[in-house]
Amino acid sequence: MSADRPVVLAVIIGAHGIAGEVRLKLFGEGAASLKLYKSFEATGRTLTLKTVRDGPNGAVARFAEVTDRNTAEALRGTELTVARSALPPLAEGEYYHVDLIGLPCLSDAGAELGTLVAVENFGAGDIIEIEKPDGKRFMVPIHAAQIDAERAVIDAAFVE
């Protein structure tokens, strides 16, 4: 896992008001978690966080570099990232989804399945998506996998 790999914490989904605030879709544990970072990389530029608060469907933030609605609206779709090394340390048995992407996947019978390419959550728990060598993909619940830093071993009952 590269410590410099960018991790998306939020995406700007539009302007909020006329003074340059933006609405954010969050990919972490709420607006307060963004306060841990002074700045974010945003498509080749740095945005310095001034304030952030809970908002409709996510959060509302103000950045030092964004002072009007037009600038805020122009940032729609911009991902806010930090380096993986900037994230807080994890407890034993915890992981960040970004750390799982790219792991080789094997069945518990030893067959090579492919590579873990995504972690999704549709409301009932995490689902991992695995891409086979032929490019086809399949999904399994994360509880059907034993995951460590080197690989993911999938219960054969969940393998296509």
Side-chain angles (χ1 to χ4, degrees):
M1 180 72 233
S2 170
D4 294 331
R5 184 176 189 177
V7 178
V8 179
L9 297 183
V11 65
I12 297 172
I13 57 174
H16 181 81
I18 61 170
E21 288 185 313
V22 295
R23 292 180 294 120
L24 302 176
K25 177 180 179 181
L26 302 174
F27 301 116
E29 294 186 11
S33 67
L34 296 180
K35 292 178 182 178
L36 298 172
Y37 310 97
K38 293 185 185 329
S39 64
F40 299 89
E41 290 302 311
T43 318
R45 66 190 279 192
T46 300
L47 294 177
T48 308
L49 185 65
K50 288 178 74 175
T51 63
V52 64
R53 66 182 187 280
D54 289 324
N57 302 319
V60 174
R62 180 180 303 277
F63 295 100
E65 298 79 8
V66 182
T67 58
D68 60 64
R69 183 176 180 86
N70 290 338
T71 305
E73 194 60 45
L75 291 171
R76 180 187 298 265
T78 300
E79 294 179 337
L80 302 177
T81 68
V82 297
R84 168 61 179 87
S85 60
L87 297 176
L90 296 168
E92 183 72 29
E94 292 183 328
Y95 57 87
Y96 288 113
H97 288 180
V98 70
D99 293 340
L100 305 180
I101 306 303
L103 284 179
C105 297
L106 308 161
S107 75
D108 59 3
E112 292 186 25
L113 300 175
T115 305
L116 198 151
V117 294
V119 180
E120 304 288 351
N121 189 312
F122 302 107
D126 288 341
I127 305 285
I128 57 175
E129 185 172 3
I130 300 164
E131 184 173 314
K132 296 178 179 181
D134 65 4
K136 293 183 180 179
R137 294 181 177 198
F138 68 99
M139 295 178 153
V140 299
I142 202 160
H143 69 76
Q146 297 294 325
I147 298 172
D148 62 36
E150 304 297 321
R151 64 187 179 174
V153 178
I154 311 300
D155 183 332
F158 290 90
V159 177
E160 298 185 312

